[in-house]
Amino acid sequence: MEDLRDYSIYYYSEDHPLKEEKKEFKKLYLNLLNHCGCLYLNKNIVKYKLNIFKEKLSFDDEIEELNSDDKILKRLFKKVLKQYFKLARLKFYTYRYIFFFDCLVLFGEGNKRNTQIFMEELKKIIVPLYHYEIDEVFKNLYLEKFNLDRKFFISEEMLNKFYVIKNFTESKETNIVFTATMSTGKSTLINAIIGKNLAPSMSIACTSNIANFKSSPIKVNFINYFDKDGLKLFLDSTEIKKLIGKSNYCHINTYFNSEISKKKVNIIDTPGVDYSIDTTHGDITRNELKNLNIDLLVYVISAQNFGAKGDDEHLKFIRENVEYKKLILVINMLDTSSSEDDSILDIVSNIKKYLEKLKFKDFIIAPISGRGGLVLKNYLNNYNSFKGDLEEVEHFKRKFTKRKDLELAKFYPKINEEVILEKYKDRNLEEYLKAYVNTGLASFEQILYNLI
């Protein structure tokens, strides 16, 4: 099976000096990167990484394989490595350090051991004159405090992307499995965490298969997909929605607009277990829950319907048959409750007693509005290009700023709201941010991040 994790790690630079070079030099630079990458990685993976890398360089041509002899290759490398570029008045730099930085980050993928192996292959085709520079970049990446940004113009932006990749690579892979009865807003909550409308989320039994959403560390807009029919790359949300559900098990690889995308995380969406028209939905879910290695099990219930027969049966099945490291019970759709209903504190208390009655121990209860969180999060993160329903945005802003009973963040450990606010400063979005925090989504994501 193709492993979508192979497509999780990529690198590009918004301020790479190559952007300002002539097309001919860009082509040579990228062709040589391709030649180096194919020494170590599958050529399709190399092509994929370079297609992302070149996107910010105003270069649309296909990258070509070099079939030159050693003598010609040495001349081509010399042309790139000795090329100067100007950054400031009367100050010039050569590309040799940046080229080796690009090589090690693109093809070493943040893994120290793999980068060392790749370096040995790289040195076989690079003349010894430049081996010092290769070692210098590696030492600064993995063995010493990095100082090449000041000395050889490896920019802060380039370095930060490397550290994101390195931290992602060094993280352990975590399975977060979501399960529920029908129509609890489970898939909407998953979309809210990811920050994209990918999982089917209509108020019917729409999830009929297992969908495994795999995180990527660097922010990009495209999505990769794999199922029994093979691999599809560079898709958008609309294309993904058409594919999900056509296979019993599918994998979707994308950047999550969330802290948890800093680590290797699988968010696994399972079918609702009480769909009377098709009982195989429950069979699919129960089989997955019994056989999967589950780190965090997220059980989603509707605030209006907890304690129904379907929940009783499914929770008892979980207690008796499913192994997991931590259980989180999400009370979703709290925005649908009226202020005259039982207080949220009462709902939380009653659900805690309900779980204890079913003999669960050491669980976390998370009150939330998945829909409100999704709408406000997408608005905040796409403020200048938002294409959603502005009336819905305003509806949730009013609801989660005016109603004291819907300040859901107070049910969680306090988070640093200043970190969230930093992204939206100078945009007059404080009211929207306040509403977003009150949906509980930011606090819920922080709990997930702390547990993975």
Side-chain angles (χ1 to χ4, degrees):
M1 182 190 102
E2 191 93 36
D3 185 358
L4 269 192
R5 278 280 175 239
D6 292 340
Y7 298 86
S8 291
I9 300 174
Y10 27 77
Y11 152 69
Y12 63 86
S13 171
E14 299 277 4
D15 58 11
H16 202 292
L18 195 62
K19 290 171 71 172
E20 307 304 322
E21 295 290 349
K22 292 181 179 179
K23 184 176 180 179
E24 181 182 353
F25 184 75
K26 289 180 186 177
K27 186 170 185 176
L28 175 58
Y29 192 102
L30 291 165
N31 288 345
L32 286 173
L33 277 179
N34 181 68
H35 187 80
C36 294
C38 289
L39 298 171
Y40 182 62
L41 295 175
N42 176 290
K43 68 178 182 180
N44 290 328
I45 300 290
V46 174
K47 180 180 179 182
Y48 166 81
K49 290 178 182 292
L50 288 177
N51 278 337
I52 299 167
F53 182 79
K54 74 176 186 177
E55 185 179 328
K56 306 293 181 181
L57 303 177
S58 303
F59 182 83
D60 299 323
D61 289 8
E62 286 293 318
I63 295 169
E64 299 173 358
E65 291 187 30
L66 296 175
N67 296 312
S68 307
D69 60 34
D70 290 347
K71 197 171 186 179
I72 295 174
L73 272 174
K74 286 178 181 178
R75 189 164 70 245
L76 294 177
F77 273 114
K78 183 177 180 181
K79 185 174 182 180
V80 166
L81 300 177
K82 295 192 77 171
Q83 173 83 1
Y84 281 91
F85 62 93
K86 185 177 180 181
L87 286 174
R89 189 181 177 195
L90 301 177
K91 196 161 188 179
F92 290 85
Y93 301 81
T94 64
Y95 271 100
R96 62 188 188 273
Y97 284 97
I98 288 183
F99 182 85
F100 294 136
F101 177 90
D102 290 342
C103 276
L104 299 191
V105 175
L106 272 166
F107 310 124
E109 300 181 320
N111 182 297
K112 181 179 176 182
R113 177 60 182 151
N114 290 350
T115 303
Q116 287 175 311
I117 296 171
F118 169 66
M119 280 174 55
E120 296 309 309
E121 295 299 319
L122 186 60
K123 286 178 179 179
K124 292 177 184 178
I125 62 167
I126 300 291
V127 294
L129 175 66
Y130 295 108
H131 289 190
Y132 168 81
E133 283 87 347
I134 298 174
D135 291 335
E136 187 79 354
V137 172
F138 176 79
K139 281 194 302 181
N140 278 273
L141 285 175
Y142 289 100
L143 304 179
E144 300 172 2
K145 185 176 180 181
F146 204 103
N147 59 14
L148 295 185
D149 53 327
R150 296 189 302 275
K151 192 176 177 183
F152 304 112
F153 191 70
I154 305 297
S155 73
E156 184 178 355
E157 181 246 4
M158 295 163 77
L159 276 176
N160 286 341
K161 284 210 169 74
F162 165 72
Y163 292 133
V164 167
I165 290 168
K166 180 175 179 288
N167 292 337
F168 180 87
T169 299
E170 292 174 349
S171 68
K172 68 181 182 68
E173 190 159 6
T174 302
N175 289 330
I176 306 177
V177 180
F178 282 70
T179 188
T181 56
M182 276 179 53
S183 303
T184 62
K186 167 177 57 67
S187 295
T188 297
L189 178 57
I190 290 172
N191 287 336
I193 296 167
I194 296 173
K196 300 171 186 174
N197 287 299
L198 302 180
S201 54
M202 296 177 291
S203 57
I204 57 173
C206 5
T207 308
S208 59
N209 70 332
I210 306 291
N212 187 335
F213 298 91
K214 294 175 173 287
S215 60
S216 289
I218 301 294
K219 186 174 183 177
V220 289
N221 294 322
F222 61 82
I223 308 159
N224 299 326
Y225 178 90
F226 179 81
D227 65 13
K228 59 181 176 57
D229 296 322
L231 179 68
K232 297 177 177 64
L233 301 175
F234 301 116
L235 305 180
D236 60 26
S237 298
T238 302
E239 292 169 308
I240 289 293
K241 284 184 188 177
K242 292 176 181 177
L243 289 169
I244 292 178
K246 290 187 175 181
S247 178
N248 287 339
Y249 207 120
C250 64
H251 302 261
I252 302 98
N253 179 217
T254 189
Y255 173 78
F256 298 172
N257 201 340
S258 167
E259 283 287 293
I260 68 174
S261 211
K262 293 179 179 179
K263 301 182 182 181
K264 289 186 290 224
V265 171
N266 301 317
I267 290 181
I268 301 168
D269 189 13
T270 60
V273 294
D274 59 342
Y275 186 33
S276 59
I277 296 175
D278 188 349
T279 58
T280 62
H281 288 206
D283 295 336
I284 291 169
T285 294
R286 285 187 284 270
N287 185 61
E288 184 76 357
L289 293 176
K290 285 172 67 175
N291 295 300
L292 190 65
N293 178 24
I294 302 173
D295 296 292
L296 304 181
L297 181 61
V298 180
Y299 192 101
V300 184
I301 62 172
S302 164
Q304 312 303 317
N305 298 318
F306 78 89
K309 181 180 178 183
D311 281 317
D312 274 359
E313 292 176 352
H314 193 37
L315 283 165
K316 287 175 182 175
F317 170 83
I318 288 170
R319 188 192 66 214
E320 295 170 2
N321 299 280
V322 181
E323 293 186 9
Y324 53 84
K325 294 177 183 175
K326 194 73 177 181
L327 172 66
I328 303 175
L329 192 133
V330 170
I331 311 170
N332 197 17
M333 304 170 73
L334 281 163
D335 54 284
T336 63
S337 65
S338 69
S339 54
E340 287 79 31
D341 291 337
D342 290 341
S343 73
I344 292 173
L345 185 61
D346 289 337
I347 293 173
V348 171
S349 177
N350 290 335
I351 289 178
K352 182 175 183 292
K353 292 174 183 175
Y354 172 63
L355 285 176
E356 290 171 345
K357 182 180 177 182
L358 293 173
K359 299 181 181 178
F360 283 95
K361 300 177 181 178
D362 191 27
F363 53 82
I364 295 171
I365 293 179
I368 202 166
S369 167
R371 182 65 192 171
L374 172 63
V375 170
L376 291 164
K377 182 182 191 179
N378 283 346
Y379 179 72
L380 286 166
N381 286 298
N382 302 284
Y383 176 66
N384 293 320
S385 58
F386 184 73
K387 297 178 181 178
D389 185 342
L390 285 172
E391 286 188 12
E392 189 178 27
V393 173
E394 293 301 320
H395 164 75
F396 282 118
K397 186 195 80 168
R398 286 192 302 272
K399 180 168 278 193
F400 283 97
T401 53
K402 302 300 183 186
R403 281 182 52 180
K404 289 289 185 183
D405 61 314
L406 287 181
E407 294 177 354
L408 303 182
K410 67 186 179 185
F411 291 93
Y412 296 84
K414 187 169 179 58
I415 60 174
N416 187 353
E417 294 181 21
E418 291 301 316
V419 173
I420 302 172
L421 183 60
E422 180 67 23
K423 294 196 295 183
Y424 313 115
K425 65 180 179 181
D426 302 325
R427 295 188 186 176
N428 298 317
L429 297 175
E430 287 82 359
E431 287 292 294
Y432 298 93
L433 175 67
K434 179 182 176 183
Y436 168 62
V437 170
N438 281 339
T439 67
L441 179 61
S443 300
F444 177 62
E445 289 181 8
Q446 190 62 55
I447 283 178
L448 294 180
Y449 183 79
N450 290 340
L451 290 172
I452 59 179

